Structure formats: structure tokens, C-alpha cells
Amino acid sequence: MAQKRKDNKGRILKTGESQSKDGSYQYRYKQLDGKWHYAYAPTLEELREKEKPIQKDVDDGIKYSEGNITVLELLERYLALKQRLRYHTKEAYRTAYNLMKKEAFSSRKINTIRVSDAKLFYIKLQNDGRRFNYISNINCVLKPAFQMAVDEDIIRKNPFGFSLAGVIENDTQKRIALTSEQQQIFLEFVRTDNCYKKHYDEFVVLCYTGLRVSELCGITLSDLDFEEGRISVNKQLTRHNGGTLHIEKTKTDCGTRYIPMSSEAYASLSNLVKNRKPPKTEVMIDGVSGFLLLDRNGNPETAWHIEGHLKSAQDKYNRTHKEQLPHFTPHSLRHSFCTNMANHGMDVKSLQYVMGHSNPAVTMGVYAHSSYAVAAESMKKVLQFPPQKTG
């Protein structure tokens, strides 16, 4: 039987342990990379304390040494794998990466980041004057990047696996949802205004379909089925840096859908088709032509055009009317449509389909804009209430 090794105090040394001539101790172990690694300590007790997490990492298959990469290096690895992204998503990721390059936190080793470190980093950003949306954009990259490190056994736990809203104040301006009355006031103003009445029908379509503005810009004549009374939503028209136009898939897979035409949408879409001036040559973008909305040069309208028209029209309204309308965007009209449909009793699953939301939680979020009157009426359909006092 082989004689067990002992230290100078007669204590039996475990496999991998040894004692140097100066009395200090060393632990030698092999990682998954096949290389030898070493840990050192002045006493056997301290060495064995160091051995515990090392051995646990080895037993669990954790790539202990790879945890030495920096946060920025981890982001680079994660983003290198994200090749099939929509243009605007890719741009958002690149922006987040460039923001992180400016932060000292990005040079930290990922195996040193704890949950408290991650939270303190976000608190520091907000104390520096960064808005919630800015921090949220960074979180949208850091969180999945660290999850990748967990999935690849580089680290044990995702330090960014918490809810951002529970750590920093959400100073995001709440989305505006126009009431049905405000919407009608604005549309009536546009309809009768000599300057902006030419945009009336496109505004009506936004108000009564819930389309994303990029989806509206991507609508072609072949997408309109007036016999069935529905719109086929299957793409979006986007404008990239440099002004080039491109056809992309809908924002999510659920974004590919049919939207029923209400009477208002049917009338305005009919007008848009009737008043459309066919250009000498139909513009083709990524194999698609026959766009419904064209500018005066015969080119497809973009979100930038419609946002400008909408802003100018509401600015004129507020300049000429005592009772002001809140500032709103094309997306506000989409949000208003969703809110109004919810308040009028449309069930969540049907509304989720029409809106093209991939997650019903997004659709459910519109109920935050429900009023007391709407809530009271809904409760009266289920519960009995005492008669109201009069006089």
C-alpha cells in the first residue's frame, strides 16, 4: 500500500495538496480545459477553504478559468452570435455596447460580479443622470449575455436576473392614450383643415386599426381585401441610417396577422386607394411594390413622414384652440386603439391577436389606462350595487 503523504506537522495531505520547503501549501487541480491550475495558501486550513469552491466548480463542470473574461468581452461574444436580428434591434444592441465601453464596470471580471454589484451599477447610472430607458437598453443586453454565461457553465448565477423596476425609479413618461372624445375632436379638426385634410385618411386608419406606423407604411394594394373587409399585415417598411428603405418582417412572429376593417377604416382605406396617384414607375423595395401611401414624388411614405404630419397637425390644433390636446405620436394612436377596445369589452386574447402582441402581458398593460367610470360599469355587470343617492 502506498504511503500517504503528510505535512511537517504529520497531517495527511489530500490528492493535489503539497507543502513547500518554506511551509506554505499548494493545491494542484486540472480544469475542463485539460490544463493544470494552482491555488496557494500559507496554512493548510486556508488552502482547504480555497479548495471547497474550486472542487465544487470542478464537480459541477463550471469553466472556472473562463470566468476571468471582462463584462465587455462577454458582450462581444454574445453580440457575435446575434447575426439574424432586425435592423433596429441590431442598432439598439450596438448602441448599448458602445455605452458600456464608456463605463468602468465593463472592465470587471464576470466571475466577480454579484447581484448587489449589478444593482449598484444601475443605481450609479441613474445617479449620474441616466434615464430609465437608457438603463433599460443596457439591461436588455447585459441580462441575456450573463444568462449565456450561465448556460455555458462559465458562472453559476445571472447577477442581472432581477426586475429593473424594483431597483431604480422608472422615470419613463407614461404612454398617452387619447380618449375617444379627444380622438374625434382631433380627427374632425384634420378633416376640415385646408392644410392637413389630405392626411385625414391615414390618421383614421391609424386610429381604427391599431397598426404600427411602420406596418401602415408597408401596406401594399394587394394587402387590402375589401370583399372580406380585412387587412393583411405581413411586413413593415423601415428607414435605415443613410435614408435607405427596406422591407422587414413584422416586429414579432405574432405581428403577421389580419385586421378587420371597421366602417371608419374601410371608408378611409377606400379613399386612399381611390386618391392614390400611380407613379410612372412603381418603386420596388426588396422585391415589394404597389405601396398604398406615396409621397408627392411617388416614393413610399415612411414613419418619418407620418410622424411629421401628425406633429404639425396637432401643433396647429393647440395653437388655434383654447382646450389643448396632449402631445401624441403614431404609436400613441395605436395605444389609444388598444385602450379603447379594452374599455369597450374586447377580450384580451382577441385584442392580443389584432394588436400583434407576442405576449398577452403587453396587451393587459393597457388596462392601466382604464378609468373609474369604465371599471365601475364593468363591476356592475358582475356585482350588485346599492342605488345611488340623488339630490
Side-chain angles (χ1 to χ4, degrees):
M1 182 179 295
Q3 188 175 1
K4 293 183 178 181
R5 293 179 302 107
K6 299 180 180 180
D7 67 0
N8 57 14
K9 293 183 179 180
R11 293 175 295 188
I12 296 175
L13 298 175
K14 299 177 182 177
T15 301
E17 294 178 343
S18 63
Q19 186 177 31
S20 302
K21 291 180 179 180
D22 63 2
S24 63
Y25 293 83
Q26 171 186 285
Y27 177 60
R28 181 177 183 237
Y29 63 99
K30 189 174 285 188
Q31 234 325 326
L32 293 179
D33 56 12
K35 298 178 181 179
W36 288 105
H37 299 265
Y38 301 87
Y40 302 94
T43 67
L44 185 60
E45 291 77 13
E46 290 177 79
L47 183 69
R48 287 181 174 171
E49 284 301 311
K50 288 187 176 183
E51 288 177 32
K52 291 178 183 177
I54 292 173
Q55 192 56 51
K56 183 166 176 42
D57 286 333
V58 172
D59 292 341
D60 292 347
I62 302 295
K63 297 177 182 177
Y64 185 76
S65 61
E66 290 191 26
N68 288 322
I69 64 174
T70 66
V71 173
L72 199 63
E73 288 170 337
L74 178 66
L75 289 182
E76 289 168 354
R77 177 182 293 188
Y78 174 74
L79 295 178
L81 300 172
K82 296 295 177 180
Q83 297 299 316
R84 300 182 64 183
L85 294 175
R86 290 175 174 83
Y87 172 77
H88 291 294
T89 304
K90 189 178 292 186
E91 285 295 294
Y93 277 17
R94 182 160 49 179
T95 299
Y97 173 78
N98 289 334
L99 294 174
M100 281 301 299
K101 285 172 67 175
K102 302 175 184 178
E103 297 293 334
F105 185 84
S106 65
S107 63
R108 290 275 303 271
K109 303 293 185 181
I110 66 170
N111 60 2
T112 69
I113 307 295
R114 302 292 179 261
V115 175
S116 58
D117 297 320
K119 290 181 177 181
L120 286 170
F121 172 58
Y122 286 154
I123 292 170
K124 178 259 183 191
L125 288 179
Q126 190 159 69
N127 289 340
D128 287 347
R130 303 300 188 184
R131 306 299 295 268
F132 185 87
N133 280 345
Y134 175 103
I135 301 171
S136 181
N137 289 339
I138 291 177
N139 187 58
C140 285
V141 181
L142 282 177
K143 192 170 185 175
F146 272 84
Q147 186 57 48
M148 179 188 73
V150 173
D151 295 341
E152 293 185 343
D153 296 335
I154 296 173
I155 56 176
R156 292 183 180 285
K157 182 179 179 180
N158 188 345
F160 290 90
F162 52 83
S163 170
L164 189 61
V167 176
I168 59 175
E169 180 185 355
N170 188 345
D171 55 10
T172 306
Q173 189 173 18
K174 290 185 178 180
R175 289 176 178 172
I176 295 296
L178 296 181
T179 65
S180 296
E181 182 183 8
Q182 289 173 325
Q183 185 172 285
Q184 289 306 316
I185 289 172
F186 176 70
L187 289 177
E188 183 59 22
F189 163 75
V190 173
R191 189 184 69 81
T192 57
D193 184 81
N194 289 331
C195 180
Y196 294 105
K197 61 184 179 183
K198 59 187 175 184
H199 303 300
Y200 172 76
D201 288 313
E202 62 190 43
F203 293 165
V204 168
V205 173
L206 285 173
C207 288
Y208 287 96
T209 61
L211 281 165
R212 297 179 176 92
V213 65
S214 57
E215 293 172 341
L216 174 59
C217 295
I219 295 294
T220 59
L221 298 176
S222 61
D223 293 326
L224 302 174
D225 185 343
F226 288 103
E227 288 188 11
E228 293 290 333
R230 66 183 189 178
I231 308 165
S232 174
V233 185
N234 50 64
K235 59 190 173 303
Q236 56 181 339
L237 179 66
T238 61
R239 186 172 183 265
H240 293 191
N241 288 340
T244 59
L245 302 183
H246 293 274
I247 291 294
E248 295 185 0
K249 295 179 180 179
T250 51
K251 187 175 180 182
T252 65
D253 291 338
C254 294
T256 300
R257 63 202 188 277
Y258 289 101
I259 296 180
M261 295 180 190
S262 64
S263 298
E264 296 87 351
Y266 187 99
S268 284
L269 287 167
S270 299
N271 288 338
L272 288 169
V273 173
K274 178 182 176 182
N275 297 328
R276 180 182 185 270
K277 296 180 180 179
K280 292 181 180 179
T281 304
E282 289 282 357
V283 175
M284 183 168 288
I285 300 173
D286 296 334
V288 176
S289 63
F291 293 93
L292 174 65
L293 302 182
L294 301 176
D295 63 18
R296 57 188 175 186
N297 297 319
N299 296 314
E301 282 200 342
T302 65
W304 181 78
H305 289 107
I306 296 176
E307 287 164 359
H309 302 156
L310 189 64
K311 183 179 185 306
S312 297
Q314 61 184 288
D315 285 348
K316 182 174 182 180
Y317 175 89
N318 283 336
R319 284 197 310 270
T320 55
H321 291 75
K322 183 177 180 181
E323 191 166 335
Q324 303 284 285
L325 290 174
H327 171 70
F328 56 93
T329 64
H331 196 78
S332 301
L333 297 181
R334 169 175 161 81
H335 190 60
S336 300
F337 170 83
C338 189
T339 300
N340 291 333
M341 291 300 98
N343 285 343
H344 283 84
M346 187 172 184
D347 70 274
V348 175
K349 292 302 292 183
S350 297
L351 187 52
Q352 178 191 351
Y353 170 80
V354 170
M355 296 301 294
H357 288 152
S358 59
N359 189 333
V362 178
T363 313
M364 287 292 290
V366 303
Y367 286 92
H369 290 281
S370 185
S371 65
Y372 169 79
V374 171
E377 282 302 312
S378 296
M379 288 180 67
K380 285 179 182 178
K381 294 177 182 179
V382 182
L383 304 173
Q384 297 230 342
F385 284 74
Q388 291 185 338
K389 295 181 180 179
T390 57

